[in-house]
Amino acid sequence: MRQKIDITEIESKTKIRAKYLRAMENEEFDLLPGSTFAKSFLRTYADALGLDSHRLVEEYRAQYEPRDEGDLPPLAGQAGRRPGRERARHGNRPPGRAIAILGLVVAVLVVLVVIGAFSNSGKKNPSGSTQATKPKTHPKEHRSSHGGSTTTPRRVDLVVTPSVATYMCVDRGQGTTPVYQGITDQPHTWKARHLRINLGKTSVTITANGKRVALAQGPNPAGIDFTPGKHKNIPVGKRPCAT
């Protein structure tokens, strides 16, 4: 308001939807897609207004970001344990009991070895050769060219790392609401059964399920459709957030 900038003007400049801008102005961060998006939107919005983006993000982290599980206090039962007493209690066991338990374990192992030897000898066919058992393969596994098995992933694990500030829009399929839209120079990760991405520049590194996606680096836009195990280019006009 001090800079006399209209909400539509800043929306066009930052590529962030007006409803998300109003949510940040009103500190209604629960209306944003998530903590990662909130920090990215704050950084982009602050830079566009000439504000201290680092300070805003740090204030958001301190006041609104959920705490990690490591910050939670330990359970009362675990906090009240005294290792010294535990060691003393186990150390007072009579040695005779330990020897008896060890002897019982050895006896059981000997019996198992004997049973295994008789079982292997009984599997021989009349010609004297043993029957070979075929290894079982899971129905959802496919044999690779090297004789191993590979499992088709059930979802897409997408990691996008820009080398320069780049516009990105990501959704979960044609006609779905975008899960991310904005200009960023930070790495982002998304996981879903179906993901589509619209890039303002191809100066990014993309990996899908741990495999790097071949992409010519440069200022040209691109659109890619990802499904488990494969990806394809999206024509202009059908990319996410395309108008």
Side-chain angles (χ1 to χ4, degrees):
M1 293 174 65
R2 289 196 301 268
Q3 298 183 29
K4 298 181 180 181
I5 301 177
D6 186 75
I7 192 72
T8 56
E9 181 182 348
I10 200 69
E11 178 185 25
S12 176
K13 185 177 181 179
T14 61
K15 307 301 180 182
I16 301 175
R17 292 188 173 184
K19 65 176 183 179
Y20 293 149
L21 295 173
R22 294 190 182 96
M24 288 189 288
E25 290 284 2
N26 298 326
E27 297 186 3
E28 297 174 340
F29 294 105
D30 55 330
L31 300 180
L32 300 182
S35 177
T36 302
F37 305 128
K39 289 181 286 187
S40 177
F41 286 174
L42 276 173
R43 188 178 293 107
T44 302
Y45 192 16
D47 291 341
L49 296 176
L51 303 177
D52 188 345
S53 60
H54 178 74
R55 179 180 176 185
L56 284 177
V57 171
E58 289 303 319
E59 288 181 359
Y60 166 79
R61 286 175 174 168
Q63 298 181 22
Y64 299 99
E65 194 169 43
R67 294 196 306 172
D68 296 334
E69 293 182 0
D71 297 335
L72 298 178
L75 297 177
Q78 295 178 351
R81 291 181 181 175
R82 297 184 179 180
R85 291 186 178 180
E86 291 290 333
R87 289 194 297 267
R89 184 171 58 185
H90 291 291
N92 292 332
R93 291 181 179 175
R97 184 177 179 182
I99 295 175
I101 294 175
L102 179 60
L104 180 60
V105 171
V106 173
V108 171
L109 290 176
V110 171
V111 172
L112 292 176
V113 170
V114 174
I115 293 175
F118 278 103
S119 299
N120 290 334
S121 62
K123 290 182 179 179
K124 292 183 178 181
N125 55 29
S127 62
S129 61
T130 56
Q131 296 179 350
T133 57
K134 296 182 179 180
K136 295 182 179 180
T137 21
H138 196 277
K140 293 184 179 180
E141 292 184 349
H142 304 282
R143 305 299 296 180
S144 67
S145 60
H146 300 287
S149 60
T150 58
T151 304
T152 302
R154 296 184 178 180
R155 66 178 183 179
V156 181
D157 189 346
L158 188 65
V159 180
V160 182
T161 306
S163 57
V164 296
T166 303
Y167 168 76
M168 291 190 296
C169 181
V170 181
D171 64 16
R172 292 190 174 94
Q174 189 172 4
T176 62
T177 303
V179 297
Y180 177 80
Q181 181 182 7
I183 299 174
T184 179
D185 58 357
Q186 300 296 316
H188 294 276
T189 300
W190 296 279
K191 297 179 181 181
R193 292 181 178 272
H194 186 191
L195 288 171
R196 302 191 315 154
I197 184 170
N198 184 8
L199 295 170
K201 301 176 183 177
T202 54
S203 300
V204 298
T205 300
I206 301 178
T207 59
N209 295 332
K211 296 182 179 179
R212 184 166 179 174
V213 178
L215 196 64
Q217 299 291 305
N220 298 323
I224 309 174
D225 188 313
F226 293 91
T227 53
K230 61 182 180 179
H231 63 274
K232 61 182 180 180
N233 293 328
I234 306 175
V236 178
K238 294 184 178 180
R239 297 171 181 173
C241 302
T243 55

